[in-house]
Amino acid sequence: ATEIINLGPVSALLTIIIGIPLVRLVLGYLKRIFDKYDYIDEGIENFLFRAASVGLWAVILLTAANEIGINVTGIVAALGIVGLAMAFAAQDTIENIIAGIFLMVDRPFREGDRILLPKKIGSLYSSWGDVTEIGLRTTRVRSTDGVLLTIPNKVLTKDTIANFNHQSEKNLRVRIRLGLVPTWDNVTRGEKIVEEIAK
C-alpha cells in the first residue's frame, strides 16, 4: 500500500481527493466568519472569499502537479511573470479596484445616500445623484434627472465627496439659482414663486 501511495499519479489523485473537502471546509468556515461580523463590507467579503478560493485551489493543484513530477517552480515563475505583465497592462483597472476597496473601508457614502457628483460628471448631467451600488471597480449612481451613471472608483476618490444622506431624514437641501434684477420686489416675487412650485 505504501508503494502504491508513493506512485506519482496516485499521490496526485489522493491530494486532489483530500484537498476538495478541505477547501470546502475552509471556505465554509470563512463564510461563517464573514456572516458573524457585519461590519465587513459585502464587496470586500466577496473579494476576499474569491481570493482565498483561488489561492487554496492553486495550492492543491500545484501540490498534485509536483507529485506527478511537473516542475512547479517553473510554473510559479511563469505565472509571476504573466501576473506582472497583466498588472502593467491593467493599471487603470487595478487603480479602480484599490479605490473601490478604500471606498468600502472608509465608507464616505453608502447605498441609498445622495452625493454631489464630481465636477466633470456633474457638468454633463445633474449635479446630484443617489448611490445604487458600490462595486470593486465602479460605483453606480442614479442622477436626479434619472440617468444611471457608472463611475470609475478612482474618479470618486480623487474628488471631494459631499454626502447629503437622506435615508433617515426626509428634509433635503436643494440649491436653486434664480436670475433676478437685484431689487427687493423681484426677490420677494421670486421667493413666492419658488414656494408655490415647492407646494
Side-chain angles (χ1 to χ4, degrees):
T2 306
E3 289 178 1
I4 292 171
I5 290 171
N6 287 332
L7 291 173
V10 176
S11 297
L13 186 62
L14 284 174
T15 302
I16 293 172
I17 291 171
I18 295 170
I20 290 172
L22 279 176
V23 168
R24 289 177 180 171
L25 182 69
V26 172
L27 292 178
Y29 185 70
L30 189 64
K31 196 166 185 63
R32 283 198 296 273
I33 291 173
F34 287 151
D35 292 338
K36 185 178 179 181
Y37 300 103
D38 293 334
Y39 59 84
I40 302 175
D41 192 90
E42 189 177 351
I44 295 178
E45 285 182 5
N46 292 334
F47 175 74
L48 292 175
F49 189 81
R50 289 175 186 173
S53 179
V54 170
L56 289 170
W57 281 114
V59 168
I60 288 172
L61 292 176
L62 289 174
T63 305
N66 188 45
E67 292 295 332
I68 295 173
I70 298 172
N71 185 7
V72 176
T73 308
I75 294 173
V76 172
L79 288 174
I81 293 168
V82 170
L84 192 63
M86 288 179 65
F88 278 116
Q91 277 183 334
D92 194 57
T93 302
I94 292 171
E95 190 177 353
N96 281 318
I97 290 172
I98 292 170
I101 292 171
F102 283 136
L103 287 176
M104 291 174 185
V105 172
D106 291 340
R107 291 188 176 181
F109 52 80
R110 298 170 185 259
E111 292 181 4
D113 289 356
R114 176 160 292 183
I115 63 171
L116 181 66
L117 296 173
K119 293 177 182 177
K120 291 181 181 179
I121 301 168
S123 60
L124 298 174
Y125 303 96
S126 172
S127 297
W128 304 88
D130 297 327
V131 179
T132 59
E133 183 184 346
I134 303 170
L136 268 177
R137 198 179 67 83
T138 59
T139 296
R140 292 185 179 180
V141 179
R142 187 173 295 280
S143 65
T144 50
D145 57 2
V147 179
L148 184 62
L149 305 171
T150 303
I151 306 170
N153 285 330
K154 68 175 184 179
V155 174
L156 294 172
T157 53
K158 287 181 179 178
D159 208 340
T160 302
I161 298 173
N163 185 351
F164 291 83
N165 184 4
H166 66 289
Q167 288 183 313
S168 58
E169 187 177 343
K170 292 181 180 179
N171 295 329
L172 290 177
R173 181 191 299 256
V174 179
R175 182 177 295 171
I176 300 173
R177 300 184 185 275
L178 300 175
L180 298 171
V181 178
T183 63
W184 186 250
D185 290 339
N186 285 342
V187 172
T188 305
R189 193 179 299 118
E191 186 179 357
K192 288 180 180 177
I193 292 169
V194 170
E195 285 178 355
E196 289 173 4
I197 292 170
K199 288 176 182 177

